[in-house]
Amino acid sequence: MKLATLPDGTLDGRLHLVSRDLTRAAPAQAAQTMQTALENWTGLESALTAEYAALNQRGGTPFYPSSAMAPLPRAWQWLDGSAFESHGDLMDTVFGLAKKEKTGRPLMYQGLSNLFYGPADDVRMPSEADGIDFEGEYGVITDAVPFGADTATAGAHIRLIVQINDWSLRKLAPIEMKTGFGWVQAKPACSMAPVAVTPDELGESWRDARVDLPLLVDWNEKRFGAANGYEMAFGFDQLVAHAAYSRALVAGTVLGSGTVSNKTYREVGSSCIAERRGIEMIDQGEAKTPFMSFGDRVRMDVTGKDGQSVFGAIDQKIVKA
């Protein structure tokens, strides 16, 4: 299935089914909102699947991805990992940190979840001096995950896959990291692509609980990166299990992969500016690429094996708050 949330004057919007080619949509009859669907997924899945099949055969109204809200406009919980080791190693260089010892444990933090920007919303930032950066990620949304779920159980509770831009303020991040107490100012609200998809929609591109597709990132209409999502050190099933070790996860929990990054970053490019700056530091002795300015645009899209957009595009402008 492909699902989206369209504005209806409420904070949670109205859940819609979206045709496989992203051209048509119809209001879901089985659930009013995405959160309701996730809280009752087992009981509603067959009805939603039938509605989706009917939409793909006929009917619906034109779907305009840029008019959508985030698929889940506000969530009970947002947990972001850092599952791409090539990105983590470069970030250690950027921040002047010692290389992290490989412990076999995923890196993960809990971030702001009460707002996810829609795919075409202007993104408000306080100051250009904060080092405004985009971070292209893949993410998953779960239904209720039991306390202590193992990897297999955790994977079975992954209901939807999304594409996320995890905005960062890079000049504030090292200041907060040195406190040892976590990020607040450095991590504003994230953005989501307009469409969430069930794992079966990806077919062979959902492999080992990873998205085996390149994430295409354009900054001010110039290609910046096309890193593939498969190179995660931990699959999403492992990330969900890690999060559920000492807590049950509520339906509507969103988990991110961290910035999509490949070891061949010099060939495929990057999904964030900080990584590009890290490469420049290694290759040229100093970072030369600036961070974002007000008025800059970033576009992120994922194209499937059939050549069609999977999630619809995030296409946003940075504005002064």
Side-chain angles (χ1 to χ4, degrees), residues 27 99 259 263 314:
K99 295 293 183 185
T259 303
K263 294 176 182 176
I314 296 175

Side-chain angles (χ1 to χ4, degrees), residues 124-166:
R124 303 191 314 150
M125 294 292 181
S127 171
E128 292 177 346
D130 292 333
I132 303 167
D133 198 358
F134 49 81
E135 289 192 64
E137 305 191 9
Y138 288 112
V140 298
I141 307 178
T142 71
D143 63 359
V145 182
F147 186 111
D150 60 18
T151 300
T153 301
H157 286 277
I158 294 172
R159 299 305 186 184
L160 296 168
I161 304 164
V162 292
Q163 197 270 300
I164 294 169
N165 185 356
D166 174 34

